[in-house]
Amino acid sequence: MKKAVLFFILSTVLFSCKSKKNLTDNASTNDSLFKEIIIINDGDRAPSKKENLTYLKAVNDHYALNKNFNTLQINADIEFKNKSFNESLSADIRIQKDETILISIKKFGFTGAKILITPKRVSYYEILNGTFYDGDFEFISNFLGTNLDYNQIENLLLGTSVFNLAEEELTTKVEDGLYKLYKNTNDLSLVFVLDGLARMKQEVIQQKDSNDKLVIDYLSYQNKNDVLLPLNLLIRAIQKDETNLNINYKKIDLNPNISFPYKIPNGSKEINFN
């Protein structure tokens, strides 16, 4: 369970904030990424005016998708897998919109770890090994040399773009009913794919100086009382090897009265990321 918890934190928190740093850098070209993931291969062709207008409508429609709620409770199945490890877990995910995310990870019905994320705090503890981390975004931002936004993690869980597509200058292509958007910076290659209903289908973040890549696939969606949410998402961290986190939302309660109980057990040993 320790590996699964750490992977969840690193993939959804640390990698995403490492990526955000470079969105203001100047663009450059890296066609190899697009050939590798077989999503987009525009060459040097500039997008047409019609494609740009269509892209703007798709982005507007994406942000217009109904995410209107106050609280959310999700019961999910999680499969953590790489070439040497495979573990199935369950999770209770609680969200107070724009304020708090609490994820309780369970095995055989017993809570083995909790992750707490707020706009000012990132914390987790793991019971079996008696370890914990408790810090703020400033600490992690200093550690990574970049800024981190709480909304990035919340958006990832809700199927909204991790990055603000309306503010970014993106190269676009419309193909087979998909809106394919990409941006190259000095350090990153980014790919975003919206489907014909403007739902996020895939986000790809790759560091140019290595083969490290984070791929977020939204495999299916569900409509809960007119609120659109993912049903199944796959987070793939690709480094030397590939590690997958498959999350299935089994049950969703919209606007329940929920609490966010979180207390690091006495005697836990703090993890130092320095």
Side-chain angles (χ1 to χ4, degrees):
M1 178 175 286
K2 180 179 180 182
K3 291 182 179 179
V5 174
L6 287 174
F7 173 73
F8 192 96
I9 294 173
L10 292 172
S11 62
T12 61
V13 180
L14 301 186
F15 199 111
S16 63
C17 83
K18 182 180 291 187
S19 305
K20 186 174 181 181
K21 166 181 180 288
N22 305 294
L23 286 178
T24 58
D25 294 343
N26 294 328
S28 61
T29 302
N30 183 6
D31 290 334
S32 62
L33 170 67
F34 307 135
K35 293 175 182 176
E36 178 184 354
I37 61 174
I38 317 176
I39 286 184
I40 188 167
N41 188 3
D42 257 343
D44 296 323
R45 184 185 68 83
S48 67
K49 182 177 180 180
K50 180 179 179 180
E51 285 177 345
N52 277 330
L53 291 174
T54 305
Y55 148 69
L56 291 174
K57 182 180 185 305
V59 169
N60 288 334
D61 289 348
H62 175 67
Y63 287 113
L65 293 173
N66 188 8
K67 305 287 185 183
N68 187 22
F69 67 90
N70 294 316
T71 60
L72 201 63
Q73 184 170 11
I74 302 168
N75 292 327
D77 286 336
I78 297 176
E79 183 183 21
F80 171 78
K81 185 177 182 181
N82 60 26
K83 71 176 185 179
S84 60
F85 191 81
N86 192 339
E87 185 168 10
S88 296
L89 305 166
S90 61
D92 174 71
I93 303 171
R94 303 183 183 195
I95 300 175
Q96 176 82 40
K97 194 174 183 182
D98 300 325
E99 294 184 12
T100 306
I101 299 170
L102 178 65
I103 303 172
S104 302
I105 299 179
K106 302 179 180 183
K107 183 79 171 181
F108 303 123
F110 296 97
T111 299
K114 286 190 176 184
I115 304 166
L116 179 70
I117 305 171
T118 73
K120 295 183 178 180
R121 184 184 183 194
V122 176
S123 181
Y124 96 93
Y125 67 80
E126 199 257 335
I127 294 175
L128 182 61
N129 292 284
T131 58
F132 78 95
Y133 168 77
D134 194 35
D136 58 20
F137 284 107
E138 182 179 2
F139 169 81
I140 296 178
S141 295
N142 290 337
F143 174 72
L144 295 169
T146 183
N147 294 320
L148 173 62
D149 187 348
Y150 162 89
N151 289 326
Q152 285 182 287
I153 294 92
E154 186 174 280
N155 285 347
L156 186 153
L157 295 172
L158 299 178
T160 303
S161 175
V162 172
F163 303 105
N164 190 337
L165 301 179
E167 293 182 354
E168 296 302 322
E169 293 184 4
L170 301 168
T171 303
T172 69
K173 185 176 182 181
V174 182
E175 185 176 74
D176 299 329
L178 299 176
Y179 303 92
K180 303 174 181 180
L181 326 170
Y182 61 93
K183 179 181 179 69
N184 292 283
T185 74
N186 289 336
D187 300 295
L188 294 174
S189 291
L190 308 173
V191 179
F192 313 93
V193 182
L194 303 178
D195 68 12
L197 298 176
R199 303 175 300 187
M200 184 57 67
K201 187 173 181 64
Q202 186 182 72
E203 297 183 271
V204 181
I205 307 159
Q206 179 167 0
Q207 297 179 20
K208 288 184 177 179
D209 58 355
S210 73
N211 292 322
D212 293 355
K213 174 166 62 176
L214 184 71
V215 181
I216 306 165
D217 291 304
Y218 293 94
L219 305 178
S220 58
Y221 283 85
Q222 58 188 312
N223 196 304
K224 180 71 174 180
N225 296 336
D226 294 326
V227 175
L228 183 69
L229 294 165
L231 177 62
N232 180 217
L233 60 149
L234 176 64
I235 303 172
R236 293 181 284 152
I238 303 170
Q239 297 176 318
K240 183 178 179 181
D241 298 311
E242 180 172 334
T243 302
N244 294 342
L245 186 69
N246 195 323
I247 306 174
N248 286 287
Y249 291 174
K250 293 178 57 181
K251 181 183 177 184
I252 295 176
D253 290 325
L254 204 62
N255 296 317
N257 293 320
I258 52 176
S259 60
F260 295 83
Y262 184 86
K263 183 179 180 180
I264 297 171
N266 294 331
S268 298
K269 182 179 180 181
E270 185 172 7
I271 291 178
N272 189 340
F273 286 106
N274 290 325

